[in-house]
Amino acid sequence: MNNLNKTKSAKSTLIVILSLFAFWGLLLLVENLNLFIPNVPKLFTPTSKLFMVLRKVIVYCLIAVSLNLLNGFTGLFSLGHAGFMLLGAYTFAILTTPISLKVPEDGIFYKYGGSVVNFSLQESFGAIFGTTGAGGTISLILGVLFALVIAGCIAALFAYLIGLPVLRLKSDYLAIATLGFAEIIRTIFQCEVIKLPGGGELVLGKLTNGANMIKGFPTLNSFNVVNSAGQTTLYLSTVVPAIIVSVCIVIIVLLINSTYGRSFKAIRDDEIAAEAMGINLAKHKILSFCISAFFAGVGGALYAMFATTYQAKPFTSVLTYEILLIVVIGGIGSVSGSCIGSFLYIACSEWWLRFLDEPQVVAGYQVPLLKDGFRMVVFSIVIMIVVLFFRKGIMGTKELPDLFKFKKPKLKGKVSDNAE
């Protein structure tokens, strides 16, 4: 029996790996169609709305799955995800912004007399491997990867410090406490100077640039291969984040299917029963909180790379509500549902319903109501319909592989044990 289970597990792992490689290859092929096929439809060009939506969907998939790990699989109702995303994005931007943009004379930190972080990870690796050719590529990859990991670690560190007192609360009280944390973090990062009780002051702007934008750090377009003439020879701005997010989601899935994941689910179902089974509630809650924050920090860094510029203002509680809505639409307790919900939410809000914001003339008559803002009205109605007809979300607690499993037919009658 053990050998049979190992064989099934190996087959499942192989199928997942092959599926990921096929997905990455398809993205790479479609994004670079215009380099091989002349007059390719505008929809399949790298700058089209399709790929803009896909990049944002990929980033939101990781953020939604990380929130689902906490809310769906552990049963902890948190609304502080925007705060962890903010920490991750700021950490990434500060660590990868070139030194030339941090000097007081002509840098983005000039208002505060320069930056206290007077180095860049990418340039530090460039001093070792070089800044041109293959060395420049290696420096970019290592600088981004190290910055992503550090961004996640900073978010996890804050989650640990916040979680020690906050995770003693339950239900709505936990949600309010984490929401307050996110708002406090956003407000602090927008401050230029913080007055200290002893009469001194902390110039936080030298670290965060205050309410001003941070720019110049590597973006998703930085991974595109460019020749000496400045022409792009290979587009990787969609494939690279897809690989990073896929690896992160696979790690989360492995965690969910491990003994720790089963402990998380036990806490979600019944804390008293879980504690009676020997599960340390405090330990597993803080572990789930920190892991969720880690991947939220990585997602925030990827979001900054997608947006190309960064500041704290957009990271309000509305962003957390968007991610929570995606989790609810896809299915609380389903990783596949979070990914599907991310695609449907972003595609509808950013692409498919855009025509509702523009006046339309049909047979010489202007269609009423079609004006700026009507898109969100229709989108809200669509969400209400989905919630009404899919109480547990589109996927519920199921995953995509569960949809392809065939149930064995049940026998109508039972054969007696004494039958010959």
Side-chain angles (χ1 to χ4, degrees), residues 23-37 40-48 50-52 54-55 58 220-225 232-242:
F23 173 64
W24 299 337
L26 180 62
L27 274 181
L28 181 64
L29 177 64
V30 175
E31 190 176 16
N32 290 277
L33 276 178
N34 65 317
L35 299 178
F36 308 105
I37 302 176
V40 69
K42 187 178 180 180
L43 180 65
F44 297 106
T45 57
T47 57
S48 67
L50 171 64
F51 286 100
M52 291 293 292
L54 281 178
R55 293 180 196 116
I58 289 169
L220 298 182
N221 290 328
S222 300
F223 295 101
N224 294 334
V225 180
T232 302
T233 58
L234 185 65
Y235 290 95
L236 300 174
S237 54
T238 306
V239 177
V240 170

Side-chain angles (χ1 to χ4, degrees), residues 186-263:
R186 183 176 64 88
T187 303
I188 290 176
F189 272 64
Q190 284 183 302
C191 292
E192 301 174 3
V193 179
I194 298 178
K195 300 292 183 179
L196 300 177
E201 58 182 24
L202 175 63
V203 185
L204 195 61
K206 288 188 176 182
L207 176 66
T208 65
N209 203 29
N212 303 306
M213 285 188 177
I214 299 179
K215 54 187 178 181
F217 52 84
T219 65
L220 298 182
N221 290 328
S222 300
F223 295 101
N224 294 334
V225 180
V226 182
N227 59 19
S228 57
Q231 298 176 335
T232 302
T233 58
L234 185 65
Y235 290 95
L236 300 174
S237 54
T238 306
V239 177
V240 170
I243 294 174
I244 295 173
V245 169
S246 299
V247 171
C248 292
I249 291 178
V250 167
I251 293 173
I252 294 175
V253 172
L254 292 176
L255 174 68
I256 292 171
N257 294 327
S258 67
T259 55
Y260 287 102
R262 288 190 284 272
S263 298

Side-chain angles (χ1 to χ4, degrees), residues 138-211:
I138 295 174
S139 301
L140 172 65
I141 294 173
L142 291 179
V144 168
L145 290 180
F146 270 78
L148 288 176
V149 173
I150 296 173
C153 290
I154 293 296
L157 175 61
F158 273 80
Y160 178 78
L161 297 176
I162 296 297
L164 288 177
V166 165
L167 291 179
R168 299 175 184 271
L169 305 173
K170 295 182 180 180
S171 188
D172 298 340
Y173 300 101
L174 175 61
I176 293 171
T178 51
L179 178 62
F181 152 75
E183 289 299 315
I184 291 171
I185 286 292
R186 183 176 64 88
T187 303
I188 290 176
F189 272 64
Q190 284 183 302
C191 292
E192 301 174 3
V193 179
I194 298 178
K195 300 292 183 179
L196 300 177
E201 58 182 24
L202 175 63
V203 185
L204 195 61
K206 288 188 176 182
L207 176 66
T208 65
N209 203 29

Side-chain angles (χ1 to χ4, degrees), residues 64 325-327 329-331 336-347 394:
L325 181 61
I326 289 172
V327 172
I329 292 174
S336 304
S338 296
C339 297
I340 295 173
S342 299
F343 176 77
L344 293 177
Y345 180 85
I346 301 300
I394 295 174

Side-chain angles (χ1 to χ4, degrees), residues 76-137:
L76 300 176
F77 188 30
S78 170
L79 292 178
H81 234 52
F84 298 125
M85 290 174 61
L86 183 147
L87 288 169
Y90 261 99
T91 302
F92 176 85
I94 293 170
L95 292 178
T96 56
T97 300
I99 299 175
S100 59
L101 296 178
K102 296 179 179 180
V103 295
E105 290 78 13
D106 54 355
I108 59 175
F109 295 90
Y110 65 91
K111 187 175 180 180
Y112 310 105
S115 173
V116 294
V117 182
N118 56 355
F119 69 91
S120 168
L121 285 178
Q122 182 180 347
E123 293 178 350
S124 299
F125 284 111
I128 301 174
F129 299 100
T131 57
T132 57
T137 303

Side-chain angles (χ1 to χ4, degrees), residues 62-63 65-70 78 80-89 148-163 181 252 285-301:
L62 176 58
I63 301 170
V65 171
S66 65
L67 181 62
N68 207 347
L69 172 65
L70 189 62
S78 170
H81 234 52
F84 298 125
M85 290 174 61
L86 183 147
L87 288 169
L148 288 176
V149 173
I150 296 173
C153 290
I154 293 296
L157 175 61
F158 273 80
Y160 178 78
L161 297 176
I162 296 297
F181 152 75
I252 294 175
K285 282 183 178 181
I286 197 71
L287 181 63
S288 175
F289 197 53
C290 291
I291 294 174
S292 175
F294 174 88
F295 288 108
V298 175

